[in-house]
Amino acid sequence: NTALGYGALGLNNSGAHNTAVGKGTMEANTTGIQNTALGSRALDAAQTVNNNTAIGYEALTLCTIGDNTAVGASAMAATTTGAYNTAVGRAALDGLETNHYNTAIGYAALGGAVTADYNTAVGANALLVNGSGYYNNAFGYAALDACTSGHSNTGIGAQALGAQTTGNDNVAVGVSALAAQQTPSNNTAVGKSAGAALTGENNVIIGKDAGLL
């Protein structure tokens, strides 16, 4: 083990192959193995868990389960028993508590996720307030950032599906594609601002500004 900082690995008993750097990092660890914590209070609640990586102030600070990666200040700060999650960016996945298989890359990406599973958010504020939605994919600044409980949506491009809250099975490819719809389902729009004013369901719209008139 490697420990550097006040209280780092302070209670370690038989835990092995751990690296803790910073005040209070992994201070509760007793038997956990193969963890890396860099930053004040990173992984400081973990006692017996394995294979976590926490880099940044309070990254994974409440975590009591293994197999998570959090890089950035407050990344996954609320996570307790959620596993197989990856968060890169300040406050990424910082609200997630018990759920699994989420990937968030970018400032506050998936920041509002509490009980969400199987989501991917790449870009600052992508899927920002997603609380319980699942199987959502957001790529680009603020893509799907208003989604709260919708599932199986894909938004690619800045602000794609940006107003979507509870609708399902939508696909938007292009900056501001399907930007205005909130609750509809089963729409597909490809192109910048394609379907940007659309509020109905079961539509396929292709082309820049298509569907605006």
Side-chain angles (χ1 to χ4, degrees), residues 94 116 128 148-149 155 170 188:
D94 68 337
L128 175 64
T148 55
S149 59
N170 295 288
T188 298

Side-chain angles (χ1 to χ4, degrees), residues 6-30:
Y6 177 78
L9 280 172
L11 297 179
N12 194 71
N13 184 351
S14 59
H17 310 293
N18 296 295
T19 299
V21 178
K23 179 180 181 294
T25 53
M26 293 190 66
E27 63 182 351
N29 188 73
T30 55

Side-chain angles (χ1 to χ4, degrees), residues 46-72:
Q47 295 180 325
T48 61
V49 303
N50 309 322
N51 306 313
N52 286 300
T53 299
I55 301 175
Y57 171 71
E58 290 193 341
L60 280 170
T61 189
L62 300 178
C63 185
T64 58
I65 199 169
D67 300 295
N68 291 294
T69 298
V71 179

Side-chain angles (χ1 to χ4, degrees), residues 63-94:
C63 185
T64 58
I65 199 169
D67 300 295
N68 291 294
T69 298
V71 179
S74 299
M76 293 185 66
T79 300
T80 53
T81 58
Y84 310 108
N85 297 292
T86 299
V88 179
R90 180 177 177 272
L93 270 174
D94 68 337

Side-chain angles (χ1 to χ4, degrees), residues 146-184:
C147 182
T148 55
S149 59
H151 65 80
S152 308
N153 295 292
T154 298
I156 302 175
Q159 297 180 327
L161 278 166
Q164 187 76 31
T165 55
T166 60
N168 310 316
D169 303 301
N170 295 288
V171 176
V173 180
V175 173
S176 297
L178 290 176
Q181 75 170 45
Q182 297 179 345
T183 60

Side-chain angles (χ1 to χ4, degrees), residues 24 71 84 98 113 122 135 138 167 200:
V71 179
Y84 310 108
T98 60
V122 179
Y135 297 131

